[in-house]
């Protein structure tokens, strides 16, 4: 696995969180990775690029503080700074919400690049929450990014879409794409009713950066509008590790991951044709 | 891959389905077209030796193609029933 962490670039890093399929956990991942990076003392800006279907604001618990949004910025109704919502719980964490009453054509990839260029001056990390699909919303989200986190679940539909997304990212010149496998259920993997992390990595053939177990605490956290990264929950710990790996640290996989690798190895022996 | 009297787990079914599906997705080549290629290969090879046409396996291997290191390649696994077929001499 050739994992080339971009340590060479000292400036800010622009990461797009994408998946192709909807509902696999892009927004949850964006919220947790962003919050986790802020907890490490980084200056982080989250951008919701899903115009018309904004969600990152509610997952972050910042929905009541929106005044201006991304479309207002590109249309010149406000300055970039005015559209940024500061998360009072985490110093250095900001959200640029999307517009709820417009559609994807309200922003162009060129305009996104401009906004991001502006934000790069003030932030260590800019994380873009990409909409589902491969249309203009996707093109907007990837336009200014130099690295991608591809989120998938261990299901055939999600993996198929992730493969398509990886192909499109490659065609758009992305060099660094890392895989997050979300909602893995070890009990099902052991029973032979769910693909293992290794199965998914083998199929998609990009470096793995995180395995997040299926954890009901994610729903609780979303209910409360407070990302669970770093909390004493399986998903909270898993996301904390993803954050470390995003910054380039080599963190071992958690206990439930060890279980996986054990089973991966066992099954690997059996499946060698 | 084949176990004795054991039904494939849904995990294996999923993995095998995806492998085939993604090959056709990636090269933009439908399963039907793969069947046609398979049938044509069988036709050509049968001219020279006796083969088990029902058990030919073909696949396009994209390993490495993603990173641009290699070109995708077509693999065909053709079981030969009888190499010393007299047909070979007839086809001169």
């Amino acid at each position: 696995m050739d994992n080339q962490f971009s340590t060479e670039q000292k400036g800010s890093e622009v990461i797009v969180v994408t998946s192709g399929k909807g509902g696999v956990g892009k927004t949850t991942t964006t919220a947790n990775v962003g919050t986790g990076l802020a907890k490490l003392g980084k200056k982080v800006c989250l951008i919701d690029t899903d115009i018309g279907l904004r969600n990152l604001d509610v997952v972050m618990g910042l929905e009541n503080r929106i005044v201006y949004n991304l479309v207002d910025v590109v249309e010149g109704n406000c300055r970039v700074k005015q559209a940024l919502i500061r998360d009072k719980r985490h110093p250095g964490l900001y959200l640029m919400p999307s517009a709820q009453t417009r559609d994807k054509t309200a922003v162009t990839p060129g305009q996104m690049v401009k906004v991001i260029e502006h934000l790069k001056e003030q932030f260590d990390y800019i994380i873009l929450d990409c909409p589902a699909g491969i249309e203009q919303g996707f093109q907007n989200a990837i336009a200014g990014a130099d690295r991608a986190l591809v989120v998938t679940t261990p299901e055939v539909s999600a993996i198929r879409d992730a493969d398509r997304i990886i192909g499109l990212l490659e065609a758009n010149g992305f060099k660094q794409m890392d895989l997050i496998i979300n909602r893995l259920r070890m009990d099902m993997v052991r029973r032979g009713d769910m693909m293992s992390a290794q199965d998914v990595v083998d199929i998609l053939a990009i470096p793995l950066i995180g395995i997040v177990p299926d954890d009901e605490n994610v729903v609780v956290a979303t209910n409360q509008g407070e990302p669970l990264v770093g909390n004493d929950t399986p998903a909270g710990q898993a996301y904390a590790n993803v954050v470390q790996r995003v910054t380039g640290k080599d963190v071992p996989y958690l206990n439930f991951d060890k279980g996986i690798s054990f089973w991966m190895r066992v099954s690997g022996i059996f499946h060698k044709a | 891959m084949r176990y004795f009297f054991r039904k494939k787990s849904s995990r294996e079914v999923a993995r095998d389905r995806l492998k085939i599906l993604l090959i056709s997705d990636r090269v933009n080549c439908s399963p039907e077209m793969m069947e046609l290629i398979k049938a044509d290969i069988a036709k050509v090879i049968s001219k020279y030796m006796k083969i088990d046409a029902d058990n030919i396996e073909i696949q396009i291997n994209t390993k490495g193609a993603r990173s641009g290191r290699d070109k995708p390649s077509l693999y065909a696994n053709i079981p030969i029933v009888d190499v010393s077929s007299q047909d070979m001499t007839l086809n001169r």
Side-chain angles (χ1 to χ4, degrees), chain A residues 54-127:
Chain A
R54 74 173 170 214
N55 277 319
L56 187 56
D57 53 335
V58 281
V59 174
M60 293 296 294
L62 299 171
E63 70 273 18
N64 292 328
R65 299 190 31 218
I66 297 176
V67 181
Y68 294 109
N69 59 51
L70 177 62
V71 176
D72 290 322
V73 172
V74 301
E75 289 183 347
N77 299 332
C78 68
R79 282 173 287 120
V80 173
K81 212 176 170 187
Q82 288 176 293
L84 292 174
I85 304 168
R86 191 172 67 88
D87 190 326
K88 290 169 185 161
R89 298 159 298 187
H90 308 285
L93 182 59
Y94 291 79
L95 167 72
M96 183 177 288
S98 162
Q100 181 69 340
T101 53
R102 302 290 294 273
D103 68 78
K104 298 180 195 315
T105 56
V107 175
T108 65
Q111 289 169 325
M112 279 305 300
V113 172
K114 261 177 136 178
V115 173
I116 290 167
E117 285 306 319
H118 188 99
L119 291 168
K120 267 185 176 175
E121 293 162 17
Q122 315 160 46
F123 291 99
D124 301 318
Y125 288 93
I126 298 163
I127 306 182

Side-chain angles (χ1 to χ4, degrees), chain A:
Chain A
M1 218 174 276
D2 41 68
N3 211 336
Q4 5 146 284
F5 290 112
S6 57
T7 40
E8 73 276 5
Q9 55 180 137
K10 262 186 70 199
S12 57
E13 209 164 3
V14 187
I15 308 173
V16 60
V17 179
T18 183
S19 70
K21 189 177 179 295
V24 297
K26 283 183 296 296
T27 303
T28 308
T29 300
T30 307
N32 280 288
V33 171
T35 306
L37 286 166
K39 281 183 171 178
L40 293 180
K42 311 283 185 193
K43 286 205 78 183
V44 183
C45 179
L46 308 178
I47 307 181
D48 190 347
T49 65
D50 199 347
I51 301 164
L53 290 170
R54 74 173 170 214
N55 277 319
L56 187 56
D57 53 335
V58 281
V59 174
M60 293 296 294
L62 299 171
E63 70 273 18
N64 292 328
R65 299 190 31 218
I66 297 176
V67 181
Y68 294 109
N69 59 51
L70 177 62
V71 176
D72 290 322
V73 172
V74 301
E75 289 183 347
N77 299 332
C78 68
R79 282 173 287 120
V80 173
K81 212 176 170 187
Q82 288 176 293
L84 292 174
I85 304 168
R86 191 172 67 88
D87 190 326
K88 290 169 185 161
R89 298 159 298 187
H90 308 285
L93 182 59
Y94 291 79
L95 167 72
M96 183 177 288
S98 162
Q100 181 69 340
T101 53
R102 302 290 294 273
D103 68 78
K104 298 180 195 315
T105 56
V107 175
T108 65
Q111 289 169 325
M112 279 305 300
V113 172
K114 261 177 136 178
V115 173
I116 290 167
E117 285 306 319
H118 188 99
L119 291 168
K120 267 185 176 175
E121 293 162 17
Q122 315 160 46
F123 291 99
D124 301 318
Y125 288 93
I126 298 163
I127 306 182
L128 300 130
D129 185 19
C130 179
I134 53 173
E135 296 86 20
Q136 192 180 340
F138 170 74
Q139 298 297 339
N140 286 342
I142 67 166
D146 37 49
R147 145 171 209 202
L149 298 180
V150 178
V151 185
T152 190
T153 60
E155 291 155 55
V156 283
S157 50
I159 294 169
R160 184 194 199 177
D161 290 359
D163 190 76
R164 181 103 167 84
I165 286 295
I166 293 165
L168 288 170
L169 290 171
E170 264 182 351
N172 280 278
F174 275 73
K175 297 271 185 306
Q176 195 177 5
M177 298 174 281
D178 296 296
L179 183 67
I180 294 180
I181 300 170
N182 198 12
R183 291 208 204 108
L184 190 77
R185 284 186 53 180
M186 268 322 298
D187 54 326
M188 290 190 72
V189 174
R190 279 190 209 104
R191 284 205 305 271
D193 279 332
M194 182 177 271
M195 278 179 279
S196 68
Q198 188 64 57
D199 290 339
V200 181
V201 172
D202 284 348
I203 289 167
L204 290 176
I206 62 169
L208 181 69
I209 201 168
I211 303 172
V212 182
D214 192 33
D215 183 353
E216 56 186 35
N217 290 301
V218 173
V219 179
V220 177
T222 308
N223 288 344
Q224 293 167 337
E226 168 85 74
L228 49 61
V229 58
N231 288 2
D232 192 19
T233 57
Q237 291 301 309
Y239 274 122
N241 285 351
V242 173
V243 170
Q244 293 286 342
R245 294 186 197 110
V246 166
T247 64
K249 288 210 179 69
D250 195 8
V251 184
Y253 282 83
L254 290 167
N255 264 335
F256 60 85
D257 303 338
K258 272 183 202 149
I260 293 160
S261 56
F262 171 73
W263 284 100
M264 289 189 303
R265 249 175 266 137
V266 171
S267 59
I269 291 162
F270 281 111
H271 292 310
K272 288 254 164 65

